[in-house]
Amino acid sequence: MRRLSFRILALSIFLAALPAFFPEPSRADLILRPEELVQANGSNIAVSGYSVPSFVFWDGDTLKDLVVGEGGGTSAQGKVRVYLNVGTASAPQFTNYFYAQSQGSDLVVPAAGCLGAFARVFDLNADNRKDLLVGLSDGTVKQYLNVNTDADPGFDGGTLLQVGEPGTKVNINVGGRATPILLDWNNDGKNDLVVGALDGKLHVYLNVGSNSAPDFRIETFAQENGAALVVPTFRSSPHVVDLDDDGKKDVLTGNTEGQLLFYRNVGADNAPSFSGYTLVEADSAQIDLPGSARSRPFVCDWNGDGLRDVLIGAGDGLVHLYLGMTEIISVPGETPPPGETGVALKTYPNPFNPDATISFALDAAQRANLYICDPAGRRVATLLNKVVAAGMYYINWNGKDDHGREVSSGVYFVHLDAGSQSSVRKMVLLR
């Protein structure tokens, strides 16, 4: 009896220690799959001029839709296309488009150079109806209030946003290529205005009014190392979101050259500040769209898998999509445990529901292809396919396929191909 009790105690200690060998992954930063191009009716979406995509609710159903600003280049008019989602939450599909309407006709703004309509959907006056915030090529910002219903938006003739003390207000003008977003920058419960621009800065206008009647008094700038942040090669196009899950808002921005830059917030959530940037990669290569592309990103969850995805608009008029991947945690230099050989592929727990941690070790830098298959050998999910350094790696699988759909209970196999080595482990999902 004492021997049995000792064995039970030893097993309990072993099981309790397992999580130390399989750290719990946390979702952080952006880990992106190779580029895809968004299509409608089986062909790549290609708008007139420069594209500015966003993925938002438009028509009152439960599916997010694609809204794309266009214009600039050879097009002297900026408009806003709407592609309604006729697919599902995990697999958006689009057919035809229509243009957003202002006073009964197509909403049209002047376009010049590399910008037509930089359109973002927000409730600008707290009336629970979606409105349009539009940045213009001349550096001004215009709001179009919804005078129809939230499920069928139609907009007024538009009003230029202003800054200054009462009685002395002037039109907001960032000097060219305005790329505005609305968010609570200083956490006071009121929506503020942040505008990217030709000068590469992030122009900040704090709201001292209310959400139903915003009042912008002064212009300030997002700070990098104590000075105004200036995005390299200029033409900043920010999206503000907590990218590293530390509870503080970060900045993801495009630039003139078509890159994607991540500025981590090293200040506080209510007083963001930054110190340098990281160039974002997709499939182990830096995102750098051809030519002077003018990248304009939008962060979303495109396929409903809970991971961050990125849409990018550019000078080619296309809508570039980069789906997110599960974070991989690396321990450089760590080798397989004593007695282990090869890639030391393991899973924990097994059976699992709904998350499993997969670990493996590499003794040299090489491409690692980690994926899940069903018993028939059909690939269900790709977790990793990139060149990684030598070391120990941990990656989470959330029980969803590459389209964000939950897979059913049953047996699955995790495969790892790394250089000349291959390994397979069985996993059992019990929902």
Side-chain angles (χ1 to χ4, degrees):
M1 180 64 70
R2 288 181 179 176
R3 181 175 297 176
L4 179 59
S5 298
F6 176 79
R7 288 177 176 174
I8 293 174
L9 177 61
L11 179 60
S12 300
I13 294 173
F14 173 75
L15 292 175
L18 270 177
F21 295 100
F22 294 92
E24 179 66 23
S26 63
R27 190 182 64 191
D29 301 354
L30 281 174
I31 304 171
L32 301 176
R33 300 178 187 273
E35 177 191 270
E36 303 176 32
L37 295 176
V38 180
Q39 297 191 332
N41 278 326
S43 299
N44 295 336
I45 290 174
V47 306
S48 175
Y50 290 74
S51 56
V52 182
S54 57
F55 192 51
V56 295
F57 294 108
W58 182 270
D59 61 350
D61 64 11
T62 59
L63 299 177
K64 287 187 176 181
D65 308 298
L66 182 66
V67 177
V68 189
E70 68 174 31
T74 59
S75 175
Q77 288 188 333
K79 293 186 176 183
V80 182
R81 292 191 186 193
V82 180
Y83 293 83
L84 296 181
N85 185 356
V86 297
T88 65
S90 60
Q93 293 183 13
F94 310 98
T95 53
N96 301 317
Y97 67 89
F98 57 88
Y99 285 113
Q101 299 292 291
S102 170
Q103 298 180 319
S105 59
D106 292 349
L107 188 158
V108 178
V109 299
C114 61
L115 187 64
F118 187 97
R120 293 291 187 243
V121 176
F122 299 104
D123 181 359
L124 297 174
N125 57 354
D127 67 352
N128 295 315
R129 292 182 291 179
K130 56 181 70 70
D131 308 304
L132 277 179
L133 184 68
V134 181
L136 303 180
S137 61
D138 65 0
T140 59
V141 178
K142 207 166 191 179
Q143 69 172 16
Y144 290 85
L145 297 180
N146 187 354
V147 293
N148 204 24
T149 66
D150 189 56
D152 184 21
F155 305 99
D156 65 9
T159 304
L160 289 170
L161 295 185
Q162 295 193 319
V163 61
E165 297 296 326
T168 62
K169 289 187 179 294
V170 296
N171 294 337
I172 288 174
N173 192 323
V174 296
R177 313 302 186 261
T179 57
I181 55 174
L182 198 71
L183 72 146
D184 187 359
W185 182 259
N186 60 354
N187 292 359
D188 65 353
K190 293 178 284 192
N191 288 327
D192 307 306
L193 182 68
V194 177
V195 188
L198 178 65
D199 62 11
K201 297 179 181 180
L202 303 187
H203 302 246
V204 179
Y205 303 87
L206 296 180
N207 180 8
V208 299
S210 64
N211 285 334
S212 59
D215 183 1
F216 306 113
R217 299 288 178 90
I218 61 172
E219 176 189 61
T220 60
F221 301 95
Q223 297 292 294
E224 180 184 15
N225 296 323
L229 184 157
V230 179
V231 174
T233 76
F234 311 117
R235 290 180 175 84
S236 52
S237 181
H239 194 124
V240 178
V241 62
D242 180 7
L243 287 172
D244 55 7
D245 291 326
D246 65 351
K248 298 186 293 185
K249 55 181 72 71
D250 307 303
V251 169
L252 187 73
T253 180
N255 66 0
T256 296
E257 296 305 312
Q259 298 168 311
L260 200 59
L261 300 88
F262 166 41
Y263 286 84
R264 191 186 307 275
N265 185 355
V266 297
D269 190 49
N270 64 350
S273 64
F274 308 92
S275 180
Y277 61 89
T278 301
L279 289 172
V280 178
E281 297 182 347
D283 196 32
S284 303
Q286 289 179 2
I287 294 174
D288 190 356
L289 301 180
S292 298
R294 279 70 164 174
S295 44
R296 279 135 188 177
F298 184 87
V299 181
C300 61
D301 183 359
W302 181 260
N303 57 1
D305 64 356
L307 300 175
R308 299 182 187 93
D309 310 311
V310 179
L311 294 170
I312 300 180
D316 55 14
L318 304 174
V319 178
H320 304 257
L321 169 64
Y322 300 85
L323 294 176
M325 295 181 67
T326 304
E327 182 193 9
I328 180 170
I329 297 176
S330 64
V331 186
E334 185 172 326
T335 57
E340 299 281 359
T341 59
V343 292
L345 181 64
K346 293 183 178 180
T347 68
Y348 171 82
N350 197 6
F352 68 99
N353 177 26
D355 295 279
T357 298
I358 300 163
S359 73
F360 63 93
L362 299 179
D363 56 10
Q366 55 196 293
R367 177 170 289 276
N369 188 4
L370 184 71
Y371 55 96
I372 308 293
C373 287
D374 64 15
R378 294 180 293 255
R379 186 172 297 207
V380 173
T382 299
L383 305 182
L384 178 70
N385 186 14
K386 65 184 294 185
V387 175
V388 294
M392 197 78 189
Y393 292 87
Y394 303 87
I395 190 166
N396 180 74
W397 183 42
N398 60 5
K400 295 183 179 180
D401 65 15
D402 281 336
H403 298 290
R405 299 170 298 204
E406 291 187 348
V407 301
S408 59
S409 297
V411 174
Y412 294 89
F413 295 89
V414 55
H415 294 250
L416 176 64
D417 299 325
S420 62
Q421 302 179 90
S422 295
S423 185
V424 181
R425 290 290 182 270
K426 182 170 74 172
M427 310 170 66
V428 179
L429 172 59
L430 296 178
R431 292 198 184 275

